[in-house]
Amino acid sequence: MTDTTSSPLPLLIVDDDATFARVLSRALSSRGFEVIAASGIEEARLLARRHQPRYCVLDLKLGEENGLRLIPELHAMVPDMRILLLTGYASIATAVEAIKRGAHDYLAKPVDADAVVRALLDGDGPAPADDDLPDAPEAPLALRRLEWEHIQRVLTECDGNISETARRLGMHRRTLQRKLSKHPVRERPDGQN
């Protein structure tokens, strides 16, 4: 006999990395979620309308698209959806923008399934107010890290449009793409770079 008291939790994963999405889907399914997966924005819209998932794990970079743009649309379709934004391109500016657009949490890749579950289920309430947004670090950031943060902020303001971002930053599009393809500058544990 199956236990019907704990029904699966509907969850939408939106990530264009098929291997990552498959591994995360399997891990979250084993933790009680009923997982549906989309590899792009159009497919995510369709699945969200059809299945009305309560939870969403959304990647920031979906090919040439920016996952931030999808957050308000998902909330319009499913107002109480909890959205967790994942990215390999973590920056303070992106985290702040994700929260402002309605994401409930933000995690940098690589991330394990337990951290995803905690972020989705902890504090299952409204999104934080503006004064609950992440604070800037106390130690000054290295110049390369500041450049990375600035690029991410401008990219967010341009809704992920690489050409417009390059124009605003006064750099060639290929130079910007090269900078974006690199991983962000990591902070040393002691706060020095």
Side-chain angles (χ1 to χ4, degrees):
M1 189 180 274
T2 59
D3 181 12
T4 56
T5 58
S6 62
S7 60
L9 305 167
L11 171 94
L12 172 63
I13 293 177
V14 186
D15 200 309
D16 60 346
D17 180 341
T19 303
F20 176 79
R22 187 176 59 249
V23 169
L24 187 60
S25 294
R26 198 172 317 139
L28 293 176
S29 292
S30 72
R31 287 164 174 81
F33 288 91
E34 181 181 314
V35 179
I36 52 175
S39 60
I41 288 182
E42 284 303 317
E43 186 181 9
R45 288 179 184 128
L46 177 72
L47 292 174
R49 268 188 226 102
R50 184 180 303 151
H51 297 281
Q52 298 287 301
R54 174 76 177 90
Y55 302 94
C56 178
V57 176
L58 174 64
D59 191 26
L60 176 67
K61 286 190 64 141
L62 299 166
E64 292 295 313
E65 303 254 48
N66 186 325
L68 287 174
R69 297 176 67 187
L70 188 58
I71 295 172
E73 291 182 50
L74 290 173
H75 277 298
M77 288 182 251
V78 185
D80 63 341
M81 182 187 292
R82 287 186 59 83
I83 299 174
L84 170 63
L85 189 75
L86 296 183
T87 183
Y89 304 92
S91 76
I92 294 168
T94 307
V96 169
E97 187 63 26
I99 301 299
K100 283 183 177 178
R101 289 186 185 216
H104 290 83
D105 212 335
Y106 177 96
L107 293 175
K109 289 180 178 178
V111 65
D112 66 34
D114 290 330
V116 170
V117 170
R118 278 191 306 276
L120 288 171
L121 299 180
D122 283 355
D124 209 349
D130 278 345
D131 36 323
D132 292 336
L133 294 175
D135 292 329
E138 291 178 24
L141 296 174
L143 186 57
R144 289 184 308 158
R145 183 66 188 196
L146 286 171
E147 177 190 42
W148 175 260
E149 297 286 342
H150 182 65
I151 289 171
Q152 291 300 315
R153 185 179 53 76
V154 175
L155 184 63
T156 298
E157 290 171 0
C158 295
D159 287 327
N161 183 316
I162 301 288
S163 296
E164 176 63 16
T165 302
R167 188 188 66 71
R168 288 188 188 182
L169 291 171
M171 68 175 63
H172 195 277
R173 187 177 196 276
R174 278 183 270 162
T175 302
L176 177 59
Q177 286 176 315
R178 189 182 75 250
K179 287 179 181 285
L180 289 172
S181 70
K182 295 179 183 179
H183 291 290
V185 178
R186 299 259 185 229
E187 300 290 324
R188 285 193 206 149
D190 63 1
Q192 302 295 316
N193 271 335

mmCIF file of all heavy atoms in Angstrom, residues 124-150:
data_model
loop_
_atom_site.group_PDB
_atom_site.id
_atom_site.type_symbol
_atom_site.label_atom_id
_atom_site.label_comp_id
_atom_site.label_asym_id
_atom_site.label_seq_id
_atom_site.Cartn_x
_atom_site.Cartn_y
_atom_site.Cartn_z
ATOM 1 N N ASP A 124 9.126 28.806 3.867
ATOM 2 C CA ASP A 124 8.138 28.749 2.787
ATOM 3 C C ASP A 124 7.116 29.863 2.967
ATOM 4 O O ASP A 124 5.976 29.647 3.337
ATOM 5 C CB ASP A 124 7.452 27.378 2.802
ATOM 6 C CG ASP A 124 6.991 26.958 1.422
ATOM 7 O OD1 ASP A 124 7.012 27.801 0.516
ATOM 8 O OD2 ASP A 124 6.615 25.788 1.268
ATOM 9 N N GLY A 125 7.554 31.108 2.724
ATOM 10 C CA GLY A 125 6.696 32.269 2.887
ATOM 11 C C GLY A 125 6.966 33.274 1.793
ATOM 12 O O GLY A 125 7.524 32.954 0.762
ATOM 13 N N PRO A 126 6.590 34.532 1.987
ATOM 14 C CA PRO A 126 6.783 35.549 0.950
ATOM 15 C C PRO A 126 8.254 35.878 0.717
ATOM 16 O O PRO A 126 9.098 35.615 1.558
ATOM 17 C CB PRO A 126 6.025 36.758 1.484
ATOM 18 C CG PRO A 126 5.974 36.561 2.952
ATOM 19 C CD PRO A 126 5.956 35.069 3.184
ATOM 20 N N ALA A 127 8.540 36.466 -0.412
ATOM 21 C CA ALA A 127 9.905 36.877 -0.753
ATOM 22 C C ALA A 127 10.375 37.933 0.240
ATOM 23 O O ALA A 127 9.577 38.683 0.786
ATOM 24 C CB ALA A 127 9.941 37.440 -2.169
ATOM 25 N N PRO A 128 11.671 38.006 0.490
ATOM 26 C CA PRO A 128 12.196 38.988 1.442
ATOM 27 C C PRO A 128 11.966 40.422 0.982
ATOM 28 O O PRO A 128 11.901 40.701 -0.197
ATOM 29 C CB PRO A 128 13.688 38.675 1.503
ATOM 30 C CG PRO A 128 13.985 37.740 0.409
ATOM 31 C CD PRO A 128 12.700 37.184 -0.097
ATOM 32 N N ALA A 129 11.855 41.312 1.946
ATOM 33 C CA ALA A 129 11.710 42.739 1.629
ATOM 34 C C ALA A 129 13.054 43.284 1.171
ATOM 35 O O ALA A 129 14.084 42.646 1.347
ATOM 36 C CB ALA A 129 11.234 43.486 2.876
ATOM 37 N N ASP A 130 13.048 44.485 0.599
ATOM 38 C CA ASP A 130 14.286 45.077 0.089
ATOM 39 C C ASP A 130 15.371 45.175 1.154
ATOM 40 O O ASP A 130 16.546 45.027 0.865
ATOM 41 C CB ASP A 130 14.028 46.480 -0.476
ATOM 42 C CG ASP A 130 13.485 46.425 -1.888
ATOM 43 O OD1 ASP A 130 13.575 45.352 -2.520
ATOM 44 O OD2 ASP A 130 12.977 47.461 -2.352
ATOM 45 N N ASP A 131 14.988 45.409 2.426
ATOM 46 C CA ASP A 131 16.016 45.533 3.455
ATOM 47 C C ASP A 131 16.580 44.170 3.860
ATOM 48 O O ASP A 131 17.518 44.096 4.627
ATOM 49 C CB ASP A 131 15.521 46.305 4.688
ATOM 50 C CG ASP A 131 14.076 46.051 5.050
ATOM 51 O OD1 ASP A 131 13.259 45.907 4.137
ATOM 52 O OD2 ASP A 131 13.777 46.020 6.252
ATOM 53 N N ASP A 132 16.023 43.057 3.326
ATOM 54 C CA ASP A 132 16.554 41.729 3.592
ATOM 55 C C ASP A 132 17.476 41.257 2.475
ATOM 56 O O ASP A 132 17.927 40.126 2.474
ATOM 57 C CB ASP A 132 15.421 40.703 3.751
ATOM 58 C CG ASP A 132 14.608 40.951 5.008
ATOM 59 O OD1 ASP A 132 15.152 41.560 5.950
ATOM 60 O OD2 ASP A 132 13.441 40.543 5.048
ATOM 61 N N LEU A 133 17.768 42.123 1.501
ATOM 62 C CA LEU A 133 18.622 41.739 0.388
ATOM 63 C C LEU A 133 20.051 41.558 0.870
ATOM 64 O O LEU A 133 20.449 42.132 1.883
ATOM 65 C CB LEU A 133 18.571 42.806 -0.715
ATOM 66 C CG LEU A 133 17.213 42.948 -1.395
ATOM 67 C CD1 LEU A 133 17.242 44.116 -2.375
ATOM 68 C CD2 LEU A 133 16.817 41.677 -2.105
ATOM 69 N N PRO A 134 20.847 40.756 0.123
ATOM 70 C CA PRO A 134 22.225 40.513 0.563
ATOM 71 C C PRO A 134 23.005 41.816 0.730
ATOM 72 O O PRO A 134 22.883 42.726 -0.077
ATOM 73 C CB PRO A 134 22.828 39.688 -0.580
ATOM 74 C CG PRO A 134 21.677 39.195 -1.381
ATOM 75 C CD PRO A 134 20.525 40.116 -1.126
ATOM 76 N N ASP A 135 23.800 41.877 1.789
ATOM 77 C CA ASP A 135 24.639 43.043 2.028
ATOM 78 C C ASP A 135 25.915 42.928 1.213
ATOM 79 O O ASP A 135 26.371 41.836 0.904
ATOM 80 C CB ASP A 135 25.026 43.134 3.520
ATOM 81 C CG ASP A 135 23.824 43.454 4.385
ATOM 82 O OD1 ASP A 135 22.920 44.151 3.894
ATOM 83 O OD2 ASP A 135 23.799 42.991 5.544
ATOM 84 N N ALA A 136 26.494 44.045 0.901
ATOM 85 C CA ALA A 136 27.788 44.058 0.223
ATOM 86 C C ALA A 136 28.841 43.560 1.203
ATOM 87 O O ALA A 136 28.714 43.748 2.406
ATOM 88 C CB ALA A 136 28.109 45.466 -0.252
ATOM 89 N N PRO A 137 29.888 42.915 0.703
ATOM 90 C CA PRO A 137 30.925 42.427 1.615
ATOM 91 C C PRO A 137 31.628 43.590 2.315
ATOM 92 O O PRO A 137 31.705 44.682 1.759
ATOM 93 C CB PRO A 137 31.888 41.678 0.692
ATOM 94 C CG PRO A 137 31.563 42.128 -0.683
ATOM 95 C CD PRO A 137 30.146 42.629 -0.671
ATOM 96 N N GLU A 138 32.116 43.315 3.525
ATOM 97 C CA GLU A 138 32.775 44.362 4.295
ATOM 98 C C GLU A 138 34.171 44.653 3.769
ATOM 99 O O GLU A 138 34.608 45.792 3.748
ATOM 100 C CB GLU A 138 32.836 43.953 5.768
ATOM 101 C CG GLU A 138 31.459 43.958 6.401
ATOM 102 C CD GLU A 138 31.497 43.510 7.844
ATOM 103 O OE1 GLU A 138 32.553 43.613 8.497
ATOM 104 O OE2 GLU A 138 30.450 43.062 8.331
ATOM 105 N N ALA A 139 34.906 43.609 3.337
ATOM 106 C CA ALA A 139 36.252 43.820 2.811
ATOM 107 C C ALA A 139 36.144 44.319 1.370
ATOM 108 O O ALA A 139 35.250 43.910 0.647
ATOM 109 C CB ALA A 139 37.026 42.504 2.845
ATOM 110 N N PRO A 140 37.042 45.214 0.959
ATOM 111 C CA PRO A 140 36.986 45.699 -0.420
ATOM 112 C C PRO A 140 37.239 44.560 -1.399
ATOM 113 O O PRO A 140 38.029 43.661 -1.133
ATOM 114 C CB PRO A 140 38.095 46.748 -0.486
ATOM 115 C CG PRO A 140 38.893 46.601 0.738
ATOM 116 C CD PRO A 140 38.117 45.800 1.724
ATOM 117 N N LEU A 141 36.549 44.608 -2.544
ATOM 118 C CA LEU A 141 36.697 43.574 -3.554
ATOM 119 C C LEU A 141 37.895 43.876 -4.441
ATOM 120 O O LEU A 141 38.260 45.032 -4.644
ATOM 121 C CB LEU A 141 35.433 43.503 -4.421
ATOM 122 C CG LEU A 141 34.147 43.103 -3.706
ATOM 123 C CD1 LEU A 141 32.966 43.212 -4.655
ATOM 124 C CD2 LEU A 141 34.254 41.695 -3.154
ATOM 125 N N ALA A 142 38.489 42.830 -4.990
ATOM 126 C CA ALA A 142 39.592 42.995 -5.923
ATOM 127 C C ALA A 142 39.071 43.658 -7.189
ATOM 128 O O ALA A 142 37.876 43.559 -7.521
ATOM 129 C CB ALA A 142 40.198 41.634 -6.252
ATOM 130 N N LEU A 143 39.965 44.311 -7.927
ATOM 131 C CA LEU A 143 39.586 45.021 -9.142
ATOM 132 C C LEU A 143 38.913 44.090 -10.153
ATOM 133 O O LEU A 143 37.890 44.446 -10.746
ATOM 134 C CB LEU A 143 40.817 45.690 -9.758
ATOM 135 C CG LEU A 143 40.554 46.588 -10.953
ATOM 136 C CD1 LEU A 143 39.560 47.687 -10.599
ATOM 137 C CD2 LEU A 143 41.859 47.196 -11.443
ATOM 138 N N ARG A 144 39.454 42.883 -10.342
ATOM 139 C CA ARG A 144 38.836 41.943 -11.298
ATOM 140 C C ARG A 144 37.445 41.547 -10.843
ATOM 141 O O ARG A 144 36.549 41.382 -11.654
ATOM 142 C CB ARG A 144 39.711 40.705 -11.476
ATOM 143 C CG ARG A 144 40.989 41.003 -12.247
ATOM 144 C CD ARG A 144 41.797 39.763 -12.503
ATOM 145 N NE ARG A 144 42.020 39.018 -11.258
ATOM 146 C CZ ARG A 144 42.319 37.732 -11.194
ATOM 147 N NH1 ARG A 144 42.463 37.035 -12.290
ATOM 148 N NH2 ARG A 144 42.498 37.144 -10.046
ATOM 149 N N ARG A 145 37.257 41.379 -9.546
ATOM 150 C CA ARG A 145 35.936 41.022 -9.030
ATOM 151 C C ARG A 145 34.967 42.194 -9.214
ATOM 152 O O ARG A 145 33.801 41.997 -9.564
ATOM 153 C CB ARG A 145 36.014 40.633 -7.554
ATOM 154 C CG ARG A 145 34.697 40.189 -6.949
ATOM 155 C CD ARG A 145 34.216 38.903 -7.563
ATOM 156 N NE ARG A 145 32.863 38.596 -7.119
ATOM 157 C CZ ARG A 145 32.309 37.420 -7.232
ATOM 158 N NH1 ARG A 145 32.957 36.417 -7.768
ATOM 159 N NH2 ARG A 145 31.086 37.220 -6.820
ATOM 160 N N LEU A 146 35.416 43.421 -8.990
ATOM 161 C CA LEU A 146 34.572 44.598 -9.203
ATOM 162 C C LEU A 146 34.152 44.701 -10.667
ATOM 163 O O LEU A 146 33.002 45.021 -10.967
ATOM 164 C CB LEU A 146 35.301 45.870 -8.767
ATOM 165 C CG LEU A 146 35.415 46.078 -7.264
ATOM 166 C CD1 LEU A 146 36.336 47.251 -6.963
ATOM 167 C CD2 LEU A 146 34.059 46.291 -6.641
ATOM 168 N N GLU A 147 35.092 44.424 -11.573
ATOM 169 C CA GLU A 147 34.754 44.439 -12.999
ATOM 170 C C GLU A 147 33.671 43.401 -13.290
ATOM 171 O O GLU A 147 32.703 43.677 -13.987
ATOM 172 C CB GLU A 147 35.993 44.152 -13.852
ATOM 173 C CG GLU A 147 35.675 44.095 -15.340
ATOM 174 C CD GLU A 147 36.826 43.589 -16.182
ATOM 175 O OE1 GLU A 147 37.497 42.606 -15.776
ATOM 176 O OE2 GLU A 147 37.043 44.165 -17.260
ATOM 177 N N TRP A 148 33.835 42.205 -12.747
ATOM 178 C CA TRP A 148 32.857 41.129 -12.935
ATOM 179 C C TRP A 148 31.477 41.571 -12.424
ATOM 180 O O TRP A 148 30.470 41.391 -13.100
ATOM 181 C CB TRP A 148 33.315 39.869 -12.217
ATOM 182 C CG TRP A 148 32.302 38.768 -12.277
ATOM 183 C CD1 TRP A 148 31.421 38.415 -11.304
ATOM 184 C CD2 TRP A 148 32.023 37.914 -13.379
ATOM 185 N NE1 TRP A 148 30.620 37.394 -11.730
ATOM 186 C CE2 TRP A 148 30.972 37.062 -13.004
ATOM 187 C CE3 TRP A 148 32.575 37.787 -14.645
ATOM 188 C CZ2 TRP A 148 30.451 36.092 -13.849
ATOM 189 C CZ3 TRP A 148 32.055 36.810 -15.492
ATOM 190 C CH2 TRP A 148 31.010 35.976 -15.093
ATOM 191 N N GLU A 149 31.426 42.154 -11.244
ATOM 192 C CA GLU A 149 30.167 42.622 -10.656
ATOM 193 C C GLU A 149 29.513 43.681 -11.548
ATOM 194 O O GLU A 149 28.314 43.657 -11.785
ATOM 195 C CB GLU A 149 30.402 43.226 -9.256
ATOM 196 C CG GLU A 149 30.923 42.257 -8.229
ATOM 197 C CD GLU A 149 29.890 41.290 -7.726
ATOM 198 O OE1 GLU A 149 28.686 41.544 -7.894
ATOM 199 O OE2 GLU A 149 30.284 40.264 -7.160
ATOM 200 N N HIS A 150 30.330 44.617 -12.048
ATOM 201 C CA HIS A 150 29.804 45.688 -12.898
ATOM 202 C C HIS A 150 29.247 45.118 -14.209
ATOM 203 O O HIS A 150 28.154 45.502 -14.644
ATOM 204 C CB HIS A 150 30.896 46.725 -13.176
ATOM 205 C CG HIS A 150 30.422 47.873 -14.006
ATOM 206 N ND1 HIS A 150 29.465 48.767 -13.565
ATOM 207 C CD2 HIS A 150 30.745 48.259 -15.265
ATOM 208 C CE1 HIS A 150 29.225 49.647 -14.516
ATOM 209 N NE2 HIS A 150 29.992 49.362 -15.553
#
